[in-house]
PDB file of all heavy atoms in Angstrom:
ATOM      1  N   ASP A  96    -169.093 107.548 121.488  1.00 94.00           N
ATOM      2  CA  ASP A  96    -169.703 108.166 120.306  1.00 94.00           C
ATOM      3  C   ASP A  96    -169.467 107.377 119.022  1.00 94.00           C
ATOM      4  O   ASP A  96    -169.747 107.872 117.932  1.00 94.00           O
ATOM      5  CB  ASP A  96    -169.176 109.599 120.146  1.00 94.00           C
ATOM      6  CG  ASP A  96    -167.679 109.652 119.871  1.00 94.00           C
ATOM      7  OD1 ASP A  96    -166.980 108.644 120.105  1.00 94.00           O
ATOM      8  OD2 ASP A  96    -167.213 110.717 119.427  1.00 94.00           O
ATOM      9  N   ILE A  97    -169.012 106.131 119.128  1.00 93.00           N
ATOM     10  CA  ILE A  97    -168.661 105.365 117.927  1.00 93.00           C
ATOM     11  C   ILE A  97    -169.871 105.129 117.017  1.00 93.00           C
ATOM     12  O   ILE A  97    -169.763 105.218 115.795  1.00 93.00           O
ATOM     13  CB  ILE A  97    -167.955 104.034 118.278  1.00 93.00           C
ATOM     14  CG1 ILE A  97    -167.360 103.386 117.029  1.00 93.00           C
ATOM     15  CG2 ILE A  97    -168.893 103.064 118.957  1.00 93.00           C
ATOM     16  CD1 ILE A  97    -166.195 104.124 116.449  1.00 93.00           C
ATOM     17  N   LEU A  98    -171.023 104.847 117.587  1.00 93.00           N
ATOM     18  CA  LEU A  98    -172.213 104.608 116.766  1.00 93.00           C
ATOM     19  C   LEU A  98    -172.616 105.866 116.006  1.00 93.00           C
ATOM     20  O   LEU A  98    -172.990 105.804 114.829  1.00 93.00           O
ATOM     21  CB  LEU A  98    -173.376 104.096 117.616  1.00 93.00           C
ATOM     22  CG  LEU A  98    -173.151 102.746 118.289  1.00 93.00           C
ATOM     23  CD1 LEU A  98    -174.328 102.409 119.196  1.00 93.00           C
ATOM     24  CD2 LEU A  98    -172.914 101.662 117.271  1.00 93.00           C
ATOM     25  N   LEU A  99    -172.515 107.000 116.669  1.00 94.00           N
ATOM     26  CA  LEU A  99    -172.827 108.271 116.024  1.00 94.00           C
ATOM     27  C   LEU A  99    -171.801 108.579 114.932  1.00 94.00           C
ATOM     28  O   LEU A  99    -172.161 108.976 113.818  1.00 94.00           O
ATOM     29  CB  LEU A  99    -172.847 109.392 117.070  1.00 94.00           C
ATOM     30  CG  LEU A  99    -173.241 110.779 116.571  1.00 94.00           C
ATOM     31  CD1 LEU A  99    -174.638 110.752 115.964  1.00 94.00           C
ATOM     32  CD2 LEU A  99    -173.171 111.786 117.707  1.00 94.00           C
ATOM     33  N   THR A 100    -170.530 108.349 115.242  1.00 95.00           N
ATOM     34  CA  THR A 100    -169.460 108.600 114.278  1.00 95.00           C
ATOM     35  C   THR A 100    -169.638 107.750 113.024  1.00 95.00           C
ATOM     36  O   THR A 100    -169.467 108.237 111.897  1.00 95.00           O
ATOM     37  CB  THR A 100    -168.087 108.305 114.906  1.00 95.00           C
ATOM     38  OG1 THR A 100    -167.918 109.148 116.049  1.00 95.00           O
ATOM     39  CG2 THR A 100    -166.959 108.541 113.933  1.00 95.00           C
ATOM     40  N   LEU A 101    -169.980 106.479 113.217  1.00 95.00           N
ATOM     41  CA  LEU A 101    -170.143 105.561 112.087  1.00 95.00           C
ATOM     42  C   LEU A 101    -171.523 105.634 111.453  1.00 95.00           C
ATOM     43  O   LEU A 101    -171.739 105.063 110.386  1.00 95.00           O
ATOM     44  CB  LEU A 101    -169.866 104.121 112.548  1.00 95.00           C
ATOM     45  CG  LEU A 101    -168.460 103.835 113.048  1.00 95.00           C
ATOM     46  CD1 LEU A 101    -168.378 102.419 113.589  1.00 95.00           C
ATOM     47  CD2 LEU A 101    -167.443 104.066 111.940  1.00 95.00           C
ATOM     48  N   ASN A 102    -172.433 106.311 112.120  1.00 95.00           N
ATOM     49  CA  ASN A 102    -173.822 106.382 111.667  1.00 95.00           C
ATOM     50  C   ASN A 102    -174.402 104.979 111.477  1.00 95.00           C
ATOM     51  O   ASN A 102    -174.987 104.669 110.451  1.00 95.00           O
ATOM     52  CB  ASN A 102    -173.934 107.204 110.370  1.00 95.00           C
ATOM     53  CG  ASN A 102    -175.375 107.586 110.072  1.00 95.00           C
ATOM     54  OD1 ASN A 102    -176.194 107.707 110.975  1.00 95.00           O
ATOM     55  ND2 ASN A 102    -175.675 107.753 108.790  1.00 95.00           N
ATOM     56  N   GLU A 103    -174.173 104.148 112.497  1.00 95.00           N
ATOM     57  CA  GLU A 103    -174.655 102.768 112.477  1.00 95.00           C
ATOM     58  C   GLU A 103    -175.382 102.469 113.780  1.00 95.00           C
ATOM     59  O   GLU A 103    -175.133 103.101 114.797  1.00 95.00           O
ATOM     60  CB  GLU A 103    -173.485 101.784 112.351  1.00 95.00           C
ATOM     61  CG  GLU A 103    -172.792 101.811 111.019  1.00 95.00           C
ATOM     62  CD  GLU A 103    -171.692 100.761 110.928  1.00 95.00           C
ATOM     63  OE1 GLU A 103    -171.432 100.056 111.920  1.00 95.00           O
ATOM     64  OE2 GLU A 103    -171.084 100.656 109.856  1.00 95.00           O
ATOM     65  N   SER A 104    -176.220 101.462 113.716  1.00 95.00           N
ATOM     66  CA  SER A 104    -176.869 100.982 114.930  1.00 95.00           C
ATOM     67  C   SER A 104    -175.919 100.005 115.624  1.00 95.00           C
ATOM     68  O   SER A 104    -174.932  99.550 115.039  1.00 95.00           O
ATOM     69  CB  SER A 104    -178.174 100.264 114.595  1.00 95.00           C
ATOM     70  OG  SER A 104    -177.899  99.039 113.928  1.00 95.00           O
ATOM     71  N   GLU A 105    -176.232  99.670 116.843  1.00 94.00           N
ATOM     72  CA  GLU A 105    -175.419  98.701 117.583  1.00 94.00           C
ATOM     73  C   GLU A 105    -175.418  97.354 116.862  1.00 94.00           C
ATOM     74  O   GLU A 105    -174.389  96.691 116.765  1.00 94.00           O
ATOM     75  CB  GLU A 105    -175.958  98.553 119.006  1.00 94.00           C
ATOM     76  CG  GLU A 105    -175.092  97.655 119.866  1.00 94.00           C
ATOM     77  CD  GLU A 105    -175.569  97.582 121.306  1.00 94.00           C
ATOM     78  OE1 GLU A 105    -176.218  98.533 121.786  1.00 94.00           O
ATOM     79  OE2 GLU A 105    -175.276  96.554 121.948  1.00 94.00           O
ATOM     80  N   VAL A 106    -176.562  96.961 116.339  1.00 95.00           N
ATOM     81  CA  VAL A 106    -176.679  95.696 115.611  1.00 95.00           C
ATOM     82  C   VAL A 106    -175.774  95.706 114.375  1.00 95.00           C
ATOM     83  O   VAL A 106    -175.071  94.732 114.097  1.00 95.00           O
ATOM     84  CB  VAL A 106    -178.152  95.422 115.217  1.00 95.00           C
ATOM     85  CG1 VAL A 106    -178.275  94.254 114.265  1.00 95.00           C
ATOM     86  CG2 VAL A 106    -178.991  95.206 116.469  1.00 95.00           C
ATOM     87  N   GLU A 107    -175.779  96.813 113.635  1.00 96.00           N
ATOM     88  CA  GLU A 107    -174.939  96.921 112.436  1.00 96.00           C
ATOM     89  C   GLU A 107    -173.453  96.863 112.789  1.00 96.00           C
ATOM     90  O   GLU A 107    -172.669  96.203 112.097  1.00 96.00           O
ATOM     91  CB  GLU A 107    -175.239  98.216 111.686  1.00 96.00           C
ATOM     92  CG  GLU A 107    -176.609  98.246 111.039  1.00 96.00           C
ATOM     93  CD  GLU A 107    -177.015  99.631 110.548  1.00 96.00           C
ATOM     94  OE1 GLU A 107    -176.626 100.642 111.192  1.00 96.00           O
ATOM     95  OE2 GLU A 107    -177.716  99.690 109.519  1.00 96.00           O
ATOM     96  N   LEU A 108    -173.071  97.533 113.872  1.00 96.00           N
ATOM     97  CA  LEU A 108    -171.670  97.528 114.277  1.00 96.00           C
ATOM     98  C   LEU A 108    -171.238  96.134 114.724  1.00 96.00           C
ATOM     99  O   LEU A 108    -170.153  95.674 114.378  1.00 96.00           O
ATOM    100  CB  LEU A 108    -171.412  98.545 115.391  1.00 96.00           C
ATOM    101  CG  LEU A 108    -169.963  98.629 115.886  1.00 96.00           C
ATOM    102  CD1 LEU A 108    -169.004  98.959 114.740  1.00 96.00           C
ATOM    103  CD2 LEU A 108    -169.844  99.656 117.001  1.00 96.00           C
ATOM    104  N   LYS A 109    -172.088  95.447 115.476  1.00 96.00           N
ATOM    105  CA  LYS A 109    -171.769  94.082 115.895  1.00 96.00           C
ATOM    106  C   LYS A 109    -171.562  93.177 114.679  1.00 96.00           C
ATOM    107  O   LYS A 109    -170.628  92.381 114.636  1.00 96.00           O
ATOM    108  CB  LYS A 109    -172.881  93.504 116.787  1.00 96.00           C
ATOM    109  CG  LYS A 109    -172.865  94.034 118.192  1.00 96.00           C
ATOM    110  CD  LYS A 109    -173.994  93.405 119.002  1.00 96.00           C
ATOM    111  CE  LYS A 109    -174.030  93.935 120.409  1.00 96.00           C
ATOM    112  NZ  LYS A 109    -175.127  93.350 121.201  1.00 96.00           N
ATOM    113  N   LYS A 110    -172.430  93.328 113.699  1.00 97.00           N
ATOM    114  CA  LYS A 110    -172.315  92.531 112.473  1.00 97.00           C
ATOM    115  C   LYS A 110    -171.001  92.843 111.763  1.00 97.00           C
ATOM    116  O   LYS A 110    -170.280  91.935 111.323  1.00 97.00           O
ATOM    117  CB  LYS A 110    -173.513  92.807 111.551  1.00 97.00           C
ATOM    118  CG  LYS A 110    -173.509  92.026 110.277  1.00 97.00           C
ATOM    119  CD  LYS A 110    -173.707  90.562 110.546  1.00 97.00           C
ATOM    120  CE  LYS A 110    -173.754  89.784 109.250  1.00 97.00           C
ATOM    121  NZ  LYS A 110    -173.701  88.354 109.478  1.00 97.00           N
ATOM    122  N   ARG A 111    -170.660  94.126 111.658  1.00 97.00           N
ATOM    123  CA  ARG A 111    -169.421  94.536 111.000  1.00 97.00           C
ATOM    124  C   ARG A 111    -168.207  93.946 111.715  1.00 97.00           C
ATOM    125  O   ARG A 111    -167.267  93.466 111.087  1.00 97.00           O
ATOM    126  CB  ARG A 111    -169.300  96.060 110.973  1.00 97.00           C
ATOM    127  CG  ARG A 111    -168.018  96.543 110.301  1.00 97.00           C
ATOM    128  CD  ARG A 111    -167.644  97.934 110.740  1.00 97.00           C
ATOM    129  NE  ARG A 111    -168.543  98.965 110.293  1.00 97.00           N
ATOM    130  CZ  ARG A 111    -168.213  99.876 109.380  1.00 97.00           C
ATOM    131  NH1 ARG A 111    -167.027  99.852 108.823  1.00 97.00           N
ATOM    132  NH2 ARG A 111    -169.063 100.817 109.055  1.00 97.00           N
ATOM    133  N   ILE A 112    -168.224  93.973 113.035  1.00 97.00           N
ATOM    134  CA  ILE A 112    -167.108  93.444 113.820  1.00 97.00           C
ATOM    135  C   ILE A 112    -166.981  91.936 113.606  1.00 97.00           C
ATOM    136  O   ILE A 112    -165.879  91.413 113.419  1.00 97.00           O
ATOM    137  CB  ILE A 112    -167.269  93.798 115.313  1.00 97.00           C
ATOM    138  CG1 ILE A 112    -167.072  95.311 115.504  1.00 97.00           C
ATOM    139  CG2 ILE A 112    -166.300  93.003 116.180  1.00 97.00           C
ATOM    140  CD1 ILE A 112    -167.460  95.822 116.883  1.00 97.00           C
ATOM    141  N   LYS A 113    -168.101  91.222 113.626  1.00 97.00           N
ATOM    142  CA  LYS A 113    -168.067  89.775 113.427  1.00 97.00           C
ATOM    143  C   LYS A 113    -167.530  89.417 112.049  1.00 97.00           C
ATOM    144  O   LYS A 113    -166.704  88.509 111.912  1.00 97.00           O
ATOM    145  CB  LYS A 113    -169.463  89.172 113.611  1.00 97.00           C
ATOM    146  CG  LYS A 113    -169.908  89.111 115.047  1.00 97.00           C
ATOM    147  CD  LYS A 113    -171.284  88.497 115.144  1.00 97.00           C
ATOM    148  CE  LYS A 113    -171.756  88.441 116.577  1.00 97.00           C
ATOM    149  NZ  LYS A 113    -173.064  87.778 116.681  1.00 97.00           N
ATOM    150  N   VAL A 114    -167.989  90.119 111.033  1.00 98.00           N
ATOM    151  CA  VAL A 114    -167.527  89.844 109.666  1.00 98.00           C
ATOM    152  C   VAL A 114    -166.041  90.165 109.539  1.00 98.00           C
ATOM    153  O   VAL A 114    -165.270  89.372 108.981  1.00 98.00           O
ATOM    154  CB  VAL A 114    -168.368  90.625 108.629  1.00 98.00           C
ATOM    155  CG1 VAL A 114    -167.742  90.556 107.246  1.00 98.00           C
ATOM    156  CG2 VAL A 114    -169.803  90.096 108.601  1.00 98.00           C
ATOM    157  N   SER A 115    -165.623  91.301 110.076  1.00 98.00           N
ATOM    158  CA  SER A 115    -164.209  91.684 110.007  1.00 98.00           C
ATOM    159  C   SER A 115    -163.328  90.672 110.726  1.00 98.00           C
ATOM    160  O   SER A 115    -162.262  90.300 110.224  1.00 98.00           O
ATOM    161  CB  SER A 115    -163.992  93.071 110.618  1.00 98.00           C
ATOM    162  OG  SER A 115    -164.649  94.045 109.858  1.00 98.00           O
ATOM    163  N   LEU A 116    -163.762  90.237 111.890  1.00 98.00           N
ATOM    164  CA  LEU A 116    -163.009  89.237 112.641  1.00 98.00           C
ATOM    165  C   LEU A 116    -162.913  87.938 111.847  1.00 98.00           C
ATOM    166  O   LEU A 116    -161.832  87.351 111.727  1.00 98.00           O
ATOM    167  CB  LEU A 116    -163.661  88.984 114.004  1.00 98.00           C
ATOM    168  CG  LEU A 116    -163.044  87.857 114.835  1.00 98.00           C
ATOM    169  CD1 LEU A 116    -161.591  88.182 115.184  1.00 98.00           C
ATOM    170  CD2 LEU A 116    -163.873  87.610 116.083  1.00 98.00           C
ATOM    171  N   ALA A 117    -164.026  87.508 111.301  1.00 98.00           N
ATOM    172  CA  ALA A 117    -164.045  86.264 110.530  1.00 98.00           C
ATOM    173  C   ALA A 117    -163.093  86.335 109.336  1.00 98.00           C
ATOM    174  O   ALA A 117    -162.326  85.400 109.078  1.00 98.00           O
ATOM    175  CB  ALA A 117    -165.465  85.963 110.062  1.00 98.00           C
ATOM    176  N   VAL A 118    -163.119  87.438 108.617  1.00 97.00           N
ATOM    177  CA  VAL A 118    -162.245  87.603 107.453  1.00 97.00           C
ATOM    178  C   VAL A 118    -160.786  87.576 107.889  1.00 97.00           C
ATOM    179  O   VAL A 118    -159.955  86.884 107.286  1.00 97.00           O
ATOM    180  CB  VAL A 118    -162.577  88.903 106.680  1.00 97.00           C
ATOM    181  CG1 VAL A 118    -161.514  89.226 105.656  1.00 97.00           C
ATOM    182  CG2 VAL A 118    -163.952  88.802 106.022  1.00 97.00           C
ATOM    183  N   GLN A 119    -160.447  88.316 108.933  1.00 98.00           N
ATOM    184  CA  GLN A 119    -159.054  88.363 109.394  1.00 98.00           C
ATOM    185  C   GLN A 119    -158.566  86.990 109.877  1.00 98.00           C
ATOM    186  O   GLN A 119    -157.442  86.581 109.570  1.00 98.00           O
ATOM    187  CB  GLN A 119    -158.877  89.401 110.497  1.00 98.00           C
ATOM    188  CG  GLN A 119    -158.881  90.816 109.985  1.00 98.00           C
ATOM    189  CD  GLN A 119    -157.837  91.035 108.894  1.00 98.00           C
ATOM    190  OE1 GLN A 119    -156.667  90.716 109.065  1.00 98.00           O
ATOM    191  NE2 GLN A 119    -158.272  91.568 107.770  1.00 98.00           N
ATOM    192  N   LEU A 120    -159.399  86.283 110.613  1.00 97.00           N
ATOM    193  CA  LEU A 120    -159.007  84.950 111.080  1.00 97.00           C
ATOM    194  C   LEU A 120    -158.826  83.994 109.912  1.00 97.00           C
ATOM    195  O   LEU A 120    -157.915  83.156 109.915  1.00 97.00           O
ATOM    196  CB  LEU A 120    -160.037  84.406 112.072  1.00 97.00           C
ATOM    197  CG  LEU A 120    -160.109  85.116 113.418  1.00 97.00           C
ATOM    198  CD1 LEU A 120    -161.267  84.568 114.246  1.00 97.00           C
ATOM    199  CD2 LEU A 120    -158.801  85.004 114.172  1.00 97.00           C
ATOM    200  N   TYR A 121    -159.669  84.125 108.890  1.00 96.00           N
ATOM    201  CA  TYR A 121    -159.537  83.283 107.698  1.00 96.00           C
ATOM    202  C   TYR A 121    -158.250  83.621 106.939  1.00 96.00           C
ATOM    203  O   TYR A 121    -157.499  82.723 106.554  1.00 96.00           O
ATOM    204  CB  TYR A 121    -160.757  83.446 106.783  1.00 96.00           C
ATOM    205  CG  TYR A 121    -160.583  82.703 105.496  1.00 96.00           C
ATOM    206  CD1 TYR A 121    -160.686  81.313 105.462  1.00 96.00           C
ATOM    207  CD2 TYR A 121    -160.283  83.368 104.313  1.00 96.00           C
ATOM    208  CE1 TYR A 121    -160.494  80.614 104.281  1.00 96.00           C
ATOM    209  CE2 TYR A 121    -160.088  82.679 103.136  1.00 96.00           C
ATOM    210  CZ  TYR A 121    -160.197  81.302 103.123  1.00 96.00           C
ATOM    211  OH  TYR A 121    -159.990  80.609 101.959  1.00 96.00           O
ATOM    212  N   ILE A 122    -157.990  84.903 106.742  1.00 95.00           N
ATOM    213  CA  ILE A 122    -156.778  85.333 106.033  1.00 95.00           C
ATOM    214  C   ILE A 122    -155.533  84.814 106.759  1.00 95.00           C
ATOM    215  O   ILE A 122    -154.563  84.378 106.125  1.00 95.00           O
ATOM    216  CB  ILE A 122    -156.732  86.871 105.897  1.00 95.00           C
ATOM    217  CG1 ILE A 122    -157.766  87.345 104.882  1.00 95.00           C
ATOM    218  CG2 ILE A 122    -155.341  87.350 105.502  1.00 95.00           C
ATOM    219  CD1 ILE A 122    -157.952  88.851 104.841  1.00 95.00           C
TER     220      ILE A 122
END
Side-chain angles (χ1 to χ4, degrees):
D96 64 343
I97 191 69
L98 297 175
L99 183 59
T100 301
L101 297 175
N102 194 27
E103 291 183 357
S104 69
E105 185 176 334
V106 170
E107 291 168 327
L108 180 57
K109 284 180 181 179
K110 181 67 178 170
R111 180 202 292 249
I112 291 169
K113 286 180 181 183
V114 169
S115 295
L116 174 63
V118 168
Q119 285 305 308
L120 291 174
Y121 174 74
I122 288 171

